[in-house]
Amino acid sequence: MDWIKRMNEALAYMEDNLDGQISVEKAAQLACSSQYHFQRMFSYIIGVPLSEYLRRRRLTKAAFDLHNGEKVIDVALRYGYESPTAFNRAFQAVHGVSPSAAQKPDTALKAYPRVNFQITIQGVTEMEYRIAKKEAFRIVGVRDPLIADVEESFKRVPVFWQEVMGRGTIPQMIELANAEPAGLLGVCTCEGENEDNYYFIAVSTDKAAPEGMFEYTVPENTWAIFPGTGDSASVQELQMRIFSEWLPTSGYEWANAPDVEVYLDNDPKNMKYEVWLPIAKK
C-alpha cells in the first residue's frame, strides 16, 4: 500500500537521525503530507504524540550507549541535550534511574521499540460512511490560530470551545446559519505550512460576518463523511478509527484541504455529529 510505504519511509528517516537533527517538515514530505496532517495522523494511529515518540526512542538508544560504557556528557549531546542536568531529568522520567546508574550492570531499564506501519485486522465494529463531492461553501464564525506544534493545538482546541461557549457567541452564530452543511462547524484550515492556519467555530452562511467574526471559504472537495453520536471524546475516538482502520485500506489518501466536524445538535453528552475527512484518489 502506497500510504503505508510512505509513512514507513518517514519513520525510517526519523530513525536514521535520532542522534542528529530531525526535520518534521522533511518527514511530512516523505509521507506526502503537510506537517500538521502528518503529526496529527501519527498521534491518532500510534497513540502518542510524535515528539514523545521521538523522545522515547532517543532515550532508548541513549540507554544502550550508556550500558556500553560511553560517557554521560557524550551521550547527552548526541541526543540533543545541551546539559547533563536536562539529560538526567529526561532520562529518569523514562527509565526511572539516572544515566550514571544505567552504566552499571543489572540496572533495570526500559526500551521503546521502533514502530512500523502495517495493515492489521482490527475489531469487528462496523464503520458507517458515505463519500460525497461538495461545492465550496462559505463559513462565518470565530477563529483561533493553529500553531506549528500540533500537540499544543490539540490541547488548545477544547479550551477554545469552552471560551466561545462562555462568551455566548454560539447563539449569534446559529442565527446566521442558512446554508449547507447545517449545524455548528469545527473547521481546521490546515492546508499548508503558512501562518494563516486557523481552527474555526462557525456556521455555513451567505450573510455578512458581524464585527468580531471572520469568514472563510471551504474549497470544493470530495469528502468521506462519518456519522457518530456521543460526547467530545467519542469524536476523537472516531477520528482515530478513521485514520487507523478506514484510510489505509480505502484506496484514498488525505487530501490537502480543511477537515470539518459538523455538530448537528447541542446535547454535550449524546450529540449527533459528522466527521468530514477530505480525500483524494491515490
Side-chain angles (χ1 to χ4, degrees), residues 55 59 72-73 75-77 79-94 99:
R55 186 178 75 92
L59 291 170
V72 172
I73 185 63
V75 176
L77 293 173
Y79 293 104
Y81 292 89
E82 297 181 356
S83 71
T85 300
F87 179 59
N88 181 75
R89 188 182 305 113
F91 194 90
Q92 289 206 52
V94 168

Side-chain angles (χ1 to χ4, degrees), residues 23 47 73 94 116 132 134 139 156 172 175 206 235 252 262 268 275:
S23 167
I73 185 63
V94 168
N116 182 61
K134 301 286 187 180
I139 63 172
R156 172 60 188 162
Q172 184 183 4
E175 290 181 2
D206 61 7
V235 180
Y252 293 93
V262 181
V275 173

Side-chain angles (χ1 to χ4, degrees), residues 50-197:
L50 177 60
S51 63
E52 176 63 16
Y53 169 77
L54 293 175
R55 186 178 75 92
R56 292 178 183 180
R57 287 295 299 138
R58 281 176 163 141
L59 291 170
T60 292
K61 294 194 72 174
F64 287 127
D65 294 346
L66 291 168
H67 188 71
N68 289 330
E70 296 196 40
K71 294 181 180 179
V72 172
I73 185 63
D74 293 338
V75 176
L77 293 173
R78 178 178 303 139
Y79 293 104
Y81 292 89
E82 297 181 356
S83 71
T85 300
F87 179 59
N88 181 75
R89 188 182 305 113
F91 194 90
Q92 289 206 52
V94 168
H95 295 283
V97 297
S98 67
S100 58
Q103 296 173 311
K104 301 175 182 178
D106 297 326
T107 300
L109 300 166
K110 296 178 182 178
Y112 291 91
R114 170 183 174 175
V115 301
N116 182 61
F117 289 96
Q118 58 185 318
I119 300 297
T120 60
I121 303 300
Q122 301 285 346
V124 296
T125 306
E126 64 184 19
M127 294 186 72
E128 181 182 345
Y129 72 96
R130 68 186 190 274
I131 293 175
K133 187 172 183 179
K134 301 286 187 180
E135 295 181 355
F137 57 93
R138 175 177 170 273
I139 63 172
V140 169
V142 292
R143 69 186 189 185
D144 200 50
L146 287 170
I147 59 177
D149 188 332
V150 175
E151 294 143 34
E152 289 303 315
S153 289
F154 281 169
K155 297 175 185 177
R156 172 60 188 162
V157 168
V159 174
F160 181 51
W161 272 97
Q162 291 297 323
E163 289 175 355
V164 173
M165 288 189 287
R167 294 178 205 156
T169 310
I170 288 178
Q172 184 183 4
M173 280 191 279
I174 296 297
E175 290 181 2
L176 296 172
N178 65 358
E180 295 293 328
L184 193 61
L185 311 177
V187 179
C188 171
T189 68
C190 44
E191 301 174 66
E193 310 306 339
N194 56 59
E195 297 179 356
D196 296 324
N197 291 328

Side-chain angles (χ1 to χ4, degrees), residues 253-270:
E253 58 189 5
W254 196 349
N256 188 26
D259 53 84
V260 180
E261 301 154 6
V262 181
Y263 297 96
L264 302 170
D265 60 34
N266 59 2
D267 183 348
K269 295 184 178 179
N270 194 35

